[in-house]
DNA sequence: ACTGTAACCTGCAGGC
DNA sequence: TGCCTGCAGGTTACAG
């Protein structure tokens, strides 16, 4: 699934296509994971944000009609939350012609006309610009093979129904996030440092690929349960480097991930993840695969010794 | 409150 | 060719 860089690439592509548009229709496959997609009808998208690996389409929507003979229409802030899980992808298409695609092996059908073409289509939204007629709507579609993704609709900023999002750590690329704060966050848990990174709590947006890459570059053993201030500073620095570089390259495409415009390029620059059995680029020692807390991990037994 | 494990799903690659 | 096993970028519920 997409980690922070992949979600950020998608966010940047979506923003100009969606901001200012209003959801005039929505559809979801019958599944509790995606059904919330239908609750966003009436939402006018004001901004497309990202928090960790979550996409947040924030805006305002008309409140439910009341029995009051109100003369003015009230609105409330609402957010469409999208998590792509392992295999989720988004596509945007204008009525009549395709404006983007989710993955090379998926078409991006309109939800009503071409639903049957994509067995993995889970949700779709019709989006009209305020000046558009309804028939000129744009379509956002969500496809997900493994169905590990999730769609939620929340009012305001109440993310309590999404535990990982509600407890999300600071954004790693935010300049105000200091190494000292990162180190303090890691000290709140006795889990292995890699498991902590994947938990999203000390810092947001890190998944299996970038955890392995950053720990390797910082020469930290993934299985240790505490790190020093100096190691935390090094780890945050390397995290920022690998995440920023991947965004610049359009993300890492291994299997399913693709942005709206195609595959990313960062997979050619990975020096640790997926390279078990190959030589360490620093010392030549054979990289090894281990499993920690159920997650596959690649490390250099020499550079990343305990 | 914290930790570790199983579970949710489908597709694909590799071994026999 | 076909069957079987293990593996995959994540999060969450649950037991201890």
């Amino acid at each position: 699934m997409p980690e922070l860089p992949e979600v950020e690439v998608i966010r940047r592509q979506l923003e100009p296509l969606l901001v200012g548009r209003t959801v005039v229709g929505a559809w979801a496959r019958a599944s509790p994971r995606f059904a919330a997609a239908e609750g966003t009808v009436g939402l006018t998208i004001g901004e497309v944000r990202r928090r960790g690996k979550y996409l947040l389409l924030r805006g305002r929507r008309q409140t439910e009609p009341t029995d009051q003979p109100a003369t003015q229409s009230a609105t409330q802030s609402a957010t469409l939350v999208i998590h792509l899980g392992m295999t989720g992808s988004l596509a945007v298409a204008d009525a009549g012609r395709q404006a983007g695609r989710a993955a090379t092996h998926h078409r991006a059908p309109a939800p009503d006309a071409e639903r049957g073409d994509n067995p993995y289509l889970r949700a779709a939204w019709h989006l009209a610009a305020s000046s558009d007629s309804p028939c000129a709507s744009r379509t956002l579609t969500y496809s997900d093979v493994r169905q590990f993704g999730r769609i939620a609709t929340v009012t305001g900023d109440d993310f309590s129904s999404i535990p990982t999002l509600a407890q999300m750590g600071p954004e790693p690329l935010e300049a105000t996030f200091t190494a000292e704060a990162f180190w303090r966050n890691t000290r709140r848990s006795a889990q292995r440092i890699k498991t902590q990174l994947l938990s999203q709590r000390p810092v947001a947006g890190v998944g299996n690929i970038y955890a392995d890459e950053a720990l390797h570059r910082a020469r930290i053993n993934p299985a240790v349960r505490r790190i020093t201030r100096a190691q935390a500073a090094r780890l945050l620095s390397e995290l920022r480097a690998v995440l920023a570089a991947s965004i610049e390259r359009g993300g890492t495409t291994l299997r399913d991930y693709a942005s709206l415009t195609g595959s990313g390029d960062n997979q050619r620059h990975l020096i640790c993840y997926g390279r078990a059995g190959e030589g360490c680029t620093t010392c030549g020692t054979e990289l090894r695969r281990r499993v920690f807390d159920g997650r596959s991990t690649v490390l250099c037994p020499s550079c990343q010794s305990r």
Side-chain angles (χ1 to χ4, degrees), chain A residues 167-182:
Chain A
Q167 302 184 81
M168 184 79 58
E171 286 294 321
L173 298 178
E174 197 69 47
T176 54
F177 182 42
T178 64
E180 174 70 15
F182 178 47

Side-chain angles (χ1 to χ4, degrees), chain A residues 25-28 108-116 121 123-126 138-141:
Chain A
W27 167 88
D112 297 324
E114 301 180 58
R115 184 182 303 166
L121 186 68
W125 298 264
H126 287 298
R138 181 169 278 173
T139 303
L140 174 66
T141 55

Side-chain angles (χ1 to χ4, degrees), chain A residues 41-44 59-66 68-78:
Chain A
V41 173
L43 174 71
T44 297
R60 303 196 69 80
R61 67 176 165 185
Q62 302 293 320
T63 52
E64 298 298 316
T66 66
Q68 302 272 338
T71 53
Q72 57 188 21
S73 60
T75 63
Q76 65 180 185
S77 84

Side-chain angles (χ1 to χ4, degrees), chain A residues 6-301:
Chain A
E6 293 74 36
V7 178
E8 178 60 21
V9 169
I10 292 168
R11 187 203 69 75
R12 292 179 183 182
Q13 295 175 342
L14 287 177
E15 188 166 49
L17 298 173
L18 303 186
V19 168
R21 300 221 159 217
T22 300
V23 179
V24 295
W27 167 88
R29 278 273 159 99
S31 162
R33 301 186 80 99
F34 311 115
E38 295 171 322
T40 52
V41 173
L43 174 71
T44 297
I45 299 167
E47 54 184 349
V48 179
R49 300 188 60 205
R50 178 193 55 74
R51 188 76 175 88
K53 307 169 189 175
Y54 291 81
L55 277 169
L56 308 176
L57 279 55
R58 299 179 69 186
R60 303 196 69 80
R61 67 176 165 185
Q62 302 293 320
T63 52
E64 298 298 316
T66 66
D67 50 6
Q68 302 272 338
T71 53
Q72 57 188 21
S73 60
T75 63
Q76 65 180 185
S77 84
T79 301
L80 171 57
V81 181
I82 300 175
H83 194 291
L84 299 173
M86 300 273 259
T87 54
S89 60
L90 291 166
V92 174
D94 281 332
R97 72 186 172 84
Q98 195 168 312
R101 62 180 185 172
T104 53
H105 58 291
H106 294 164
R107 295 187 59 202
D112 297 324
E114 301 180 58
R115 184 182 303 166
D117 288 4
N118 178 358
Y120 308 118
L121 186 68
R122 307 299 176 189
W125 298 264
H126 287 298
L127 303 157
S130 53
S131 58
D132 282 353
S133 63
C135 64
S137 68
R138 181 169 278 173
T139 303
L140 174 66
T141 55
Y142 177 84
S143 301
D144 189 357
V145 173
R146 288 178 68 183
Q147 298 176 245
F148 281 8
R150 179 174 176 182
I151 292 167
T153 304
V154 305
T155 55
D157 288 312
D158 178 17
F159 299 127
S160 57
S161 64
I162 309 166
T164 302
L165 181 55
Q167 302 184 81
M168 184 79 58
E171 286 294 321
L173 298 178
E174 197 69 47
T176 54
F177 182 42
T178 64
E180 174 70 15
F182 178 47
W183 178 77
R184 273 190 274 110
N185 289 350
T186 65
R187 296 303 301 269
R188 296 191 310 213
S189 165
Q191 290 182 304
R192 304 182 193 280
I193 185 61
K194 175 170 176 181
T195 303
Q196 288 199 52
L197 291 176
L198 297 183
S199 79
Q200 311 299 299
R201 295 181 71 166
V203 62
V206 181
N208 211 25
I209 295 175
Y210 302 104
D212 276 10
E213 291 294 301
L215 286 164
H216 177 70
R217 290 169 52 141
R219 304 169 66 91
I220 295 171
N221 187 289
V224 301
R225 293 176 185 273
R226 50 182 293 179
I227 59 176
T228 65
R229 277 188 170 84
Q231 286 177 312
R234 181 76 188 276
L235 181 54
L236 180 58
S237 174
E238 297 294 351
L239 270 173
R240 285 172 160 159
V242 297
L243 295 173
S246 185
I247 292 171
E248 291 300 306
R249 295 170 182 140
T252 300
T253 298
L254 298 178
R255 295 171 191 84
D256 304 289
Y257 163 75
S259 71
L260 270 63
T261 55
S263 299
D265 194 37
N266 193 62
Q267 62 278 8
R268 299 195 297 116
H269 300 269
L270 300 176
I271 63 173
C272 183
Y273 176 87
R275 295 192 174 279
E278 300 182 27
C280 172
T281 55
T282 300
C283 71
T285 302
E286 184 177 305
L287 299 177
R288 294 187 57 185
R289 176 182 178 275
R290 297 282 308 278
V291 176
F292 298 121
D293 296 323
R295 299 304 303 275
S296 180
T297 300
V298 179
L299 73 158
C300 173

